[in-house]
Amino acid sequence: MAAALTPQQLSETHRPTLDQALDAISTRAYWSPHPEHPKAYGEGGAPGSLGAAEGKAAFDAVLNTRLDLGQPGTDGWTGGEVSPYGPELGIEYPHADLDVLLPAMKAGTGAWRAAGPEIRALVCLEILSRISARTHELAHAVMHTSGQAFMMAFQAGGPHAQDRGLEAVAYAYREQVRTPETADWSKPQGKRDPLKLHKSFITSGRGIGLVIGCNTFPTWNSYSGLFASLATGNPVLVKPHPRAVLPLALTVSIAREVLTEAGFDPNLVALAAERPGEGIAKTLAVRPEIRIIDYTGSTAFGDWLEENARQAQVYTEKAGVNTVVVDSTDDYRGMLANLAFSLSLYSGQMCTTPQNLLIPRDGIATDDGAKSYDDVVADIAAAVTGLLGDDARASALLGALVNPDVRARVEAAGELGEVALASRAVANAEFPDAVVRTPVVVKLDGTKTDDGAAYLSECFGPVSFAVAVDSTSAAVDLLRRTIRDKGAMTVGAYTTSPEVERAVEDVCLDESAQLSLNLTGGVYVNQTAAFSDFHGSGGNPAANAALCDGAFVANRFRVVEVRRQA
């Protein structure tokens, strides 16, 4: 039996990290306690962490096994994950009788509430610390469920996801301690004795939080909601995507282990794996016990949740049409390289990948001379081709297509317009069954703005549209319409004009979209840093919340006041 985690141990180990996180969300400076480099783990690295060989061995050991989490209400077993790289994982997960599991999850809320914001935060940091120690293992789990290449799975599925979880804990703690725990209140009454009360203010969670995981970023897109709800006093039920159960099942296992050692009910965190075609997200979403929902995925289901899960506070990240306005640049080669990488990373299977490149049909001014629309499109295509010319390099950047729907969109893209860059199949030497495709770039006419225009809908995957517009002014107008009607997680722009820069910035301020200007180096529009960058804004149709701000955590709890006569 592992030694119990005392409040003193938790404070000595994790309070300095919590304080650093609180400082980071205030200064917005770069900070991360989770190393990005694989060699930072294992022997000579983070104490107690698994190295590369140990992590791979741990992943291999769980394949073709039954992952028993010890949850109440288990009425059977389910699984069926197949890696986008080819192999079947062969893992079985507990299937829950919700009428048994949900009441069991609520049973431990009293003690969890009584622990207070600081202890809850420190327990969450212990969970994150143990997740971090198993980053190598989780990287393989993310890789073989999402199709991300290993290094991206390691970084985005590991330290970057852990950073987002810690960020949510910091925001949750800060919001909860805005109100003092107690106050002695005295109201003067002139010649009479003052009125006196002793008041207690207790933060209380809303109820069970439901995290609905996604296929492409199972940890990154789940950890913010999971830890925001847990840190604010709520039990959390994790419902993974059926194709990406393992990373979140391992996360739940670690959380249950830590809760037990810290003296809390492990059922404060549980897993809801579903049988093929069961579709339990809809069933869970409207149950009265579910009071918070975090969801990443399609607009259709996100809209359904917002309209039907009336008993819950719903946080959604849905589809958007990310746009880059190309007006002018003083670093043409840098712009091309930056865009090529952004279009290629993880085969465009990111909610932040740019889709529409709005380019004036009369061309743009650059440090390399005037470039026509056709020049710019051809040069972007050449930059992508050069970046992905070597299959080994391409495989390491592209990963694998996550599901057949993405492949179908790539193959059908040529029917939408003139193909400026055709997609090609890439051979993955290590995983010959992986479906790997380079991006396709299609030319479209931006004057065709009817609702059926291809570029006015999200085409998820490695598909981008080079949209010819009449002018930069027309591009800015189209940008506004796109954000307002379809939403955007990211917006980019390239310009040497202060006037154009202000116009684009005004659109993004008016329509609440996150903007990146003139990125030509090693920072890309589809990447954000926890503690500093906001992922989404919550102000346009792509998402109703931002990761992470005060609004993301503040409505997950209430302050209950108890007044006593002094």
Side-chain angles (χ1 to χ4, degrees), residues 202-256:
I202 302 108
T203 57
S204 181
R206 297 177 69 102
I208 297 175
L210 172 65
V211 175
I212 303 175
C214 71
N215 195 174
T216 49
F217 287 88
T219 55
W220 198 100
N221 272 330
S222 296
Y223 280 9
S224 294
L226 192 167
F227 285 100
S229 285
L230 191 61
T232 50
N234 305 281
V236 180
L237 181 60
V238 179
K239 203 297 289 183
H241 190 283
R243 294 192 185 101
V245 182
L246 181 58
L248 292 178
L250 293 174
T251 299
V252 168
S253 176
I254 294 167
R256 292 175 63 85

Side-chain angles (χ1 to χ4, degrees), residues 461-485:
V463 180
S464 295
F465 301 122
V467 183
V469 292
D470 289 338
S471 63
T472 296
S473 177
V476 173
D477 291 342
L478 181 54
L479 172 66
R480 182 184 295 277
R481 176 187 171 183
T482 304
I483 301 171
R484 179 179 295 170
D485 293 350

Side-chain angles (χ1 to χ4, degrees), residues 113-271:
R113 176 176 61 241
E118 182 172 3
I119 292 299
R120 288 197 295 267
L122 297 177
V123 170
C124 287
L125 264 62
E126 175 67 20
I127 296 171
L128 284 164
S129 175
R130 296 197 193 183
I131 290 171
S132 178
R134 293 170 63 176
T135 294
H136 271 285
E137 177 187 1
L138 280 157
H140 288 285
V142 170
M143 174 182 177
H144 284 288
T145 52
S146 71
Q148 294 177 31
F150 177 77
M151 186 53 71
M152 184 175 187
F154 184 93
Q155 293 183 338
H160 296 171
Q162 296 152 22
D163 282 350
R164 284 295 181 188
L166 175 54
E167 175 188 54
V169 173
Y171 272 100
Y173 175 79
R174 189 172 73 174
E175 292 299 319
Q176 290 176 96
V177 299
R178 288 186 184 278
T179 303
E181 292 182 359
T182 62
D184 289 313
W185 182 85
S186 178
K187 180 181 179 181
Q189 293 288 294
K191 294 181 179 180
R192 291 178 291 171
D193 290 340
L195 299 175
K196 292 184 178 181
L197 293 173
H198 179 75
K199 303 182 180 184
S200 299
F201 305 97
I202 302 108
T203 57
S204 181
R206 297 177 69 102
I208 297 175
L210 172 65
V211 175
I212 303 175
C214 71
N215 195 174
T216 49
F217 287 88
T219 55
W220 198 100
N221 272 330
S222 296
Y223 280 9
S224 294
L226 192 167
F227 285 100
S229 285
L230 191 61
T232 50
N234 305 281
V236 180
L237 181 60
V238 179
K239 203 297 289 183
H241 190 283
R243 294 192 185 101
V245 182
L246 181 58
L248 292 178
L250 293 174
T251 299
V252 168
S253 176
I254 294 167
R256 292 175 63 85
E257 173 187 274
V258 171
L259 286 164
T260 300
E261 291 181 28
F264 297 102
D265 191 331
N267 297 319
L268 288 166
V269 179
L271 185 78

Side-chain angles (χ1 to χ4, degrees), residues 59-98:
F59 168 74
D60 289 341
V62 79
L63 298 178
N64 302 303
T65 66
R66 177 173 285 179
L67 191 60
D68 190 348
L69 299 174
Q71 296 182 173
T74 297
D75 61 6
W77 300 88
T78 185
E81 291 157 293
V82 178
S83 169
Y85 290 94
E88 294 184 9
L89 302 193
I91 305 169
E92 290 187 320
Y93 305 96
H95 182 273
D97 179 341
L98 299 176

Side-chain angles (χ1 to χ4, degrees), residues 367-379:
D367 59 316
D368 198 25
K371 302 292 182 180
S372 68
Y373 164 82
D374 287 335
D375 289 338
V376 175
V377 178
D379 289 343

Side-chain angles (χ1 to χ4, degrees), residues 199-417:
K199 303 182 180 184
S200 299
F201 305 97
I202 302 108
T203 57
S204 181
R206 297 177 69 102
I208 297 175
L210 172 65
V211 175
I212 303 175
C214 71
N215 195 174
T216 49
F217 287 88
T219 55
W220 198 100
N221 272 330
S222 296
Y223 280 9
S224 294
L226 192 167
F227 285 100
S229 285
L230 191 61
T232 50
N234 305 281
V236 180
L237 181 60
V238 179
K239 203 297 289 183
H241 190 283
R243 294 192 185 101
V245 182
L246 181 58
L248 292 178
L250 293 174
T251 299
V252 168
S253 176
I254 294 167
R256 292 175 63 85
E257 173 187 274
V258 171
L259 286 164
T260 300
E261 291 181 28
F264 297 102
D265 191 331
N267 297 319
L268 288 166
V269 179
L271 185 78
E274 60 187 311
R275 297 186 176 109
E278 187 177 7
I280 62 171
K282 275 193 174 183
T283 302
L284 281 167
V286 296
R287 288 195 60 129
E289 302 96 330
I290 300 299
R291 302 302 301 275
I292 304 164
I293 297 174
D294 288 276
Y295 167 76
T296 299
S298 71
T299 295
F301 190 59
D303 289 345
W304 185 92
L305 288 170
E306 292 169 1
E307 293 167 7
N308 291 278
R310 298 289 187 178
Q311 85 292 347
Q313 178 70 33
V314 179
Y315 301 91
T316 59
E317 180 189 311
K318 301 176 287 189
V321 177
N322 302 320
T323 301
V324 177
V325 174
V326 182
D327 167 71
S328 55
T329 180
D330 58 9
D331 185 0
Y332 187 58
R333 296 299 158 190
M335 180 189 80
L336 295 174
N338 193 279
L339 285 174
F341 188 92
S342 294
L343 298 179
S344 302
L345 184 62
Y346 184 34
S347 301
Q349 298 171 122
M350 305 172 69
C351 63
T352 50
T353 299
Q355 174 179 299
N356 293 346
L357 311 177
L358 307 186
I359 306 166
R361 66 181 74 254
D362 290 336
I364 67 171
T366 81
D367 59 316
D368 198 25
K371 302 292 182 180
S372 68
Y373 164 82
D374 287 335
D375 289 338
V376 175
V377 178
D379 289 343
I380 291 172
V384 173
T385 299
L387 177 67
L388 304 176
D390 175 73
D391 279 3
R393 176 183 171 87
S395 294
L397 187 59
L398 295 169
L401 299 188
V402 70
N403 60 50
D405 291 341
V406 177
R407 179 176 180 174
R409 281 191 286 273
V410 174
E411 293 174 347
E415 301 171 9
L416 301 174

